[in-house]
Amino acid sequence: MTSQEDPPAAITGRDAPPLSPAERRRIPKSVSWLLIILILVTVNIWHSSKDLLNIISQITEGDDIDNSKAMMEAQNNYLTEHETSEPSLQMQTHTMPANKTNASRNHSLPTNNINNTDNITAGTACEICQGDGRIFNPSIRLQNGYTCASIKQRTANEDDEHTCQAFQTLENLCCPTANWTHFWGKDNPECFHLTNICHAPNDGEWFYDRSVQYSSQNITEHQPTITYNQRSMHAGVGSDARIHFNVSSTTIYSGNMTECPYSHTPHHVVSQSAHNHMMLEFYVRQVMGLHPWMRDYPPESDQDVQMYVHTSARNSRLLDGHRLFMGVLPQNGKVNNFLSLVQGKETCECYQTLAFCGYTRTASEASNIQSRNYTFDMAAAITYKGEKSPDWCHDKAKNLDLTCTTYDDFRQDLMARYAREDSLLQHKIREYRRQTLSVAGLSPEEVDDVDEWKIVGLTDRKSRRIWLNIDDSVRACDGFRQQKVVCITVNVEKTASPEEQLLMHSSLDVFVGIHGSQLTQGIFLPRHGYILELLPWIPHWSWGAWAARTDSPTPLGIIFHNTNLNHLGYALDRDSVPLCRHVNKTDETDCFKAKLTRGRSFSYDQRNFEVDPDVVTTFISSMLLQNSTNCDSMKSRAAENDFVLYNAYCSRGVEDELSTEHYYK
């Protein structure tokens, strides 16, 4: 996978734009309530035709005003294609079969309607927001689904003057920021932060800027001594010795502070979790843990936050996949490796906030000249208010909640954010599909409409778990070209950027691969997309049975639970293992065990595999090319061909809505 320590070009839409009209008109957030009401009255008079109030009324009824119809149409096409909507714009309900509990995606919404906004006041507006007019709570939603966070985003980015004024009014009335709480604040046990901290050049020491915060008090007050404990939670993998971080409360900088400016980005956030060098673990343990904190306690502006990923395994790299999944978080789009913060800086730099998320802390009493000594160590995962990662949909007894929508909620937020940031995304996906079909040997005349074709992606790895005969399956697919089906190989190690990974996986209709992290990007497939997980052959005496389970989702497959994707599994057999074929059947077990103890070459996560091409062609003919989305039909076809249907996006009857069903073995 492509990876450099320097961040790649930001994904489209991430570059900081010129100040929008909203930003130039932004009312200071410290303004008093009385002044806010006076401003509202003034604006009301200015809009004598009550345009502003009509706009506010439209907003509270859920209408969205945008002069750029082409951009909105492009965005809506993408959201429709992926059956996702901007979570802050409309309420979504996850439809469940009759024997399951209905589950709403969003927080509970207030029931009061606003039909007449002529006499809107701070009190009534904040009643709409379910707030009391004093405490900022960005996760509380208006009647139509807007949150304070989304209102602030629209105020900052809206170019239409009337719409901007309406959102500005709602922001001032409902979302005061006097008591702004950052996600790394005192209520978040997953993060802790240091303020006004600086780093000397050339891998020099860390120190506090005493001139800013401590000039009139004890210089050591609120300045903890922090030490990072290098350790690895990965079996057989040492910690990354390149990571050094410690700051003493007593350190005094010997250089010239005028030559140590503050970063233009005020808040720098370092996050980590166990096993985060593996993409699935990173997705579930780290990003899904950070996301609700940053969603419910967002920064004032995305441009105010610089994110760093700390991959603690020895000499591990920051990959494009890391940056792709971090794209769901409100940040400036320049996700970097923690190494870039602690190594190689040639100039001194200070940070208003330096936060650490995903670490455990141990404290000890310090001497009289220090306030506190802390040692921080890596944590297993980032959790959210009692919700435990990575077992988001399991109870303490490891029982799966069949109605849990946590993974789907996160997927919807991730895809909606990319859609908002790039209004041409759906167009880019279609062009990527056209290019893919061309590379597969199809002429422009054969590809009149790219949407008529089905593209099947087969995962191609170059180390560990290599699909040895993948070309046989690609050639076998040629027999389906009359039905407009083509198979291609998908290798994330050959992509040039996070955006290319996004386009590549969003352009697929089917994603096939052995159990493992390379299937994590399958969450970007469009609605009704298929993920076929090939389950490794694991004898009863061997390690790793969870990777081949069929009675519930695998550790990989759980991320597709209750999504609008179809997730299937197929159990490979002994013939898929190209080891010990030279020995007698009675000696096979001893041969396998010897390879398991010497180099672990038999371990499912290390060994390469072969797949009978009939597995792929049978899936195409029995599942992909069948137009029926009837639940019973899908269940029957899967069972007849030895597929386990972990997650089916289907309908019970002709006129029934689509919902999710689970047919485990």
Side-chain angles (χ1 to χ4, degrees):
M1 196 177 292
T2 301
S3 172
Q4 296 91 19
E5 298 306 340
D6 295 328
I11 290 176
T12 304
R14 294 284 181 94
D15 293 334
L19 287 178
S20 67
E23 289 171 315
R24 292 194 294 269
R25 292 189 300 270
R26 184 180 289 278
I27 300 173
K29 290 184 171 55
S30 59
V31 70
S32 68
W33 282 110
L34 179 60
L35 181 58
I36 293 172
I37 297 174
L38 289 175
I39 290 174
L40 177 62
V41 173
T42 303
V43 173
N44 244 337
I45 296 173
W46 181 48
H47 292 275
S48 57
S49 63
K50 297 181 181 177
D51 286 344
L52 174 61
L53 295 179
N54 288 335
I55 293 170
I56 295 177
S57 177
Q58 289 173 321
I59 291 174
T60 55
E61 292 170 5
D63 294 334
D64 191 16
I65 301 173
D66 194 332
N67 287 340
S68 180
K69 294 182 178 179
M71 292 180 65
M72 285 299 294
E73 182 177 342
Q75 175 172 316
N76 289 337
N77 286 341
Y78 176 75
L79 295 175
T80 300
E81 174 69 18
H82 290 71
E83 199 171 81
T84 178
S85 60
E86 182 172 335
S88 60
L89 295 183
Q90 55 183 296
M91 182 178 179
Q92 302 175 345
T93 301
H94 187 81
T95 304
M96 286 291 185
N99 64 333
K100 297 179 181 176
T101 305
N102 288 336
S104 170
R105 293 188 192 282
N106 293 328
H107 304 288
S108 58
L109 304 180
T111 56
N112 41 329
N113 243 324
I114 298 183
N115 296 317
N116 181 0
T117 59
D118 288 347
N119 297 317
I120 189 169
T121 65
T124 58
C126 290
E127 185 180 35
I128 301 165
C129 291
Q130 284 191 320
D132 63 3
R134 296 188 306 277
I135 300 176
F136 172 67
N137 188 340
S139 65
I140 287 177
R141 296 176 182 272
L142 288 104
Q143 166 203 326
N144 68 328
Y146 277 103
T147 66
C148 284
S150 61
I151 289 173
K152 288 176 179 293
Q153 184 176 29
R154 288 299 301 270
T155 305
N157 299 328
E158 181 58 56
D159 290 328
D160 179 75
E161 184 174 351
H162 286 184
T163 307
C164 177
Q165 289 285 354
F167 277 99
Q168 179 77 75
T169 300
L170 285 179
E171 176 183 342
N172 291 331
L173 290 175
C174 300
C175 308
T177 58
N179 294 311
W180 190 290
T181 299
H182 290 100
F183 68 87
W184 57 77
K186 63 181 181 180
D187 295 329
N188 182 355
E190 302 298 318
C191 302
F192 71 99
H193 67 281
L194 310 173
T195 58
N196 300 318
I197 187 171
C198 310
H199 191 199
N202 302 317
D203 300 335
E205 56 192 0
W206 289 85
F207 61 95
Y208 291 100
D209 178 10
R210 305 183 182 195
S211 64
V212 174
Q213 196 172 3
Y214 311 108
S215 57
S216 62
Q217 54 184 307
N218 186 326
I219 63 172
T220 63
E221 187 176 358
H222 305 305
Q223 295 185 91
T225 290
I226 300 293
T227 302
Y228 168 60
N229 179 31
Q230 293 182 27
R231 190 171 68 88
S232 176
M233 294 182 70
H234 317 287
V237 179
S239 61
D240 193 337
R242 298 172 298 174
I243 299 292
H244 296 280
F245 182 84
N246 57 75
V247 54
S248 171
S249 60
T250 60
T251 298
I252 300 177
Y253 182 51
S254 59
N256 187 350
M257 281 302 299
T258 61
E259 298 176 356
C260 197
Y262 274 77
S263 168
H264 293 298
T265 304
H267 311 305
H268 294 248
V269 181
V270 181
S271 65
Q272 75 84 47
S273 64
H275 316 298
N276 64 356
H277 61 294
M278 296 184 285
M279 209 51 58
L280 173 64
E281 302 287 355
F282 174 74
Y283 179 86
V284 174
R285 293 174 182 267
Q286 189 163 333
V287 185
M288 287 190 67
L290 271 176
H291 171 249
W293 285 112
M294 297 186 75
R295 174 198 64 205
D296 292 351
Y297 303 93
E300 296 92 328
S301 166
D302 289 3
Q303 297 302 314
D304 287 348
V305 177
Q306 166 72 56
M307 300 294 296
Y308 302 87
V309 176
H310 179 187
T311 52
S312 59
R314 181 174 55 221
N315 294 329
S316 57
R317 301 176 299 166
L318 184 63
L319 306 173
D320 284 342
H322 289 113
R323 293 185 170 103
L324 176 64
F325 292 128
M326 290 289 277
V328 70
L329 306 176
Q331 39 87 18
N332 64 6
K334 300 175 182 178
V335 178
N336 215 335
N337 195 315
F338 187 21
L339 278 174
S340 68
L341 188 67
V342 298
Q343 273 194 339
K345 284 187 175 293
E346 297 180 356
T347 59
C348 186
E349 189 171 38
C350 296
Y351 310 99
Q352 179 180 320
T353 305
L354 181 58
F356 295 86
C357 299
Y359 296 84
T360 59
R361 279 175 291 169
T362 56
S364 62
E365 294 298 332
S367 64
N368 293 333
I369 61 172
Q370 297 177 357
S371 59
R372 199 77 164 166
N373 281 341
Y374 286 104
T375 298
F376 66 96
D377 198 351
M378 65 182 305
I382 298 175
T383 61
Y384 179 71
K385 295 185 177 179
E387 295 183 43
K388 183 173 176 54
S389 167
D391 301 322
W392 294 106
C393 287
H394 292 83
D395 60 21
K396 293 182 179 180
K398 302 295 184 180
N399 296 312
L400 176 65
D401 179 0
L402 293 178
T403 66
C404 172
T405 62
T406 301
Y407 291 97
D408 185 44
D409 294 340
F410 177 75
R411 174 176 174 266
Q412 297 282 3
D413 285 353
L414 177 61
M415 298 174 73
R417 182 171 176 88
Y418 275 119
R420 288 195 302 270
E421 292 188 350
D422 188 354
S423 60
L424 299 178
L425 184 55
Q426 182 60 24
H427 170 73
K428 292 179 180 179
I429 292 171
R430 296 186 76 252
E431 289 305 307
Y432 197 94
R433 285 172 60 85
R434 190 179 303 279
Q435 178 184 350
T436 298
L437 294 171
S438 176
V439 172
L442 296 168
S443 66
E445 292 74 24
E446 293 176 285
V447 188
D448 182 36
D449 184 357
V450 296
D451 295 329
E452 293 180 351
W453 285 81
K454 301 292 185 184
I455 301 178
V456 180
L458 311 181
T459 57
D460 186 17
R461 295 171 60 118
K462 298 306 179 187
S463 64
R464 294 191 307 115
R465 283 175 282 177
I466 300 173
W467 189 335
L468 295 172
N469 64 335
I470 192 171
D471 291 338
D472 294 342
S473 292
V474 172
R475 284 191 292 269
C477 285
D478 290 342
F480 293 98
R481 294 217 172 183
Q482 290 297 320
Q483 290 101 325
K484 296 189 174 182
V485 176
V486 64
C487 289
I488 64 169
T489 58
V490 174
N491 187 345
V492 293
E493 298 175 59
K494 294 183 178 180
T495 56
S497 67
E499 183 183 35
E500 185 177 353
Q501 285 198 20
L502 172 64
L503 297 177
M504 179 170 65
H505 292 92
S506 297
S507 69
L508 300 175
D509 299 283
V510 181
F511 197 26
V512 185
I514 195 73
H515 169 85
S517 291
Q518 71 275 9
L519 289 176
T520 309
Q521 282 90 332
I523 61 146
F524 290 107
L525 266 65
R527 65 189 176 98
H528 297 298
Y530 286 88
I531 291 90
L532 175 57
E533 183 180 0
L534 303 175
L535 310 177
W537 178 68
I538 301 176
H540 67 87
W541 50 264
S542 185
W543 168 85
W546 58 81
R549 64 186 311 164
T550 58
D551 58 342
S552 65
T554 63
L556 176 279
I558 189 63
I559 66 175
F560 307 115
H561 182 63
N562 281 338
T563 65
N564 54 23
L565 300 171
N566 298 296
H567 173 220
L568 294 88
Y570 182 86
L572 301 178
D573 57 19
R574 162 67 183 93
D575 291 339
S576 67
V577 182
L579 300 174
C580 300
R581 287 176 174 171
H582 63 286
V583 303
N584 296 327
K585 198 76 172 176
T586 55
D587 297 326
E588 272 190 348
T589 299
D590 290 338
C591 180
F592 289 146
K593 289 182 178 181
K595 291 184 178 297
L596 188 61
T597 56
R598 293 196 300 267
R600 298 182 67 241
S601 61
F602 179 74
S603 177
Y604 87 88
D605 61 332
Q606 299 292 324
R607 70 174 183 244
N608 302 328
F609 64 99
E610 295 177 353
V611 180
D612 186 339
D614 286 348
V615 175
V616 176
T617 56
T618 299
F619 171 81
I620 292 173
S621 59
S622 65
M623 303 302 297
L624 179 62
L625 291 178
Q626 301 300 315
N627 294 323
S628 173
T629 58
N630 177 269
C631 294
D632 291 335
S633 174
M634 291 184 67
K635 176 184 178 182
S636 175
R637 286 182 277 122
E640 289 173 2
N641 294 283
D642 296 324
F643 297 112
V644 55
L645 194 49
Y646 296 110
N647 194 80
Y649 188 56
C650 56
S651 60
R652 287 180 169 275
V654 177
E655 298 183 357
D656 290 347
E657 293 186 15
L658 292 170
S659 60
T660 54
E661 280 288 351
H662 313 286
Y663 301 112
Y664 306 126
K665 288 187 177 181

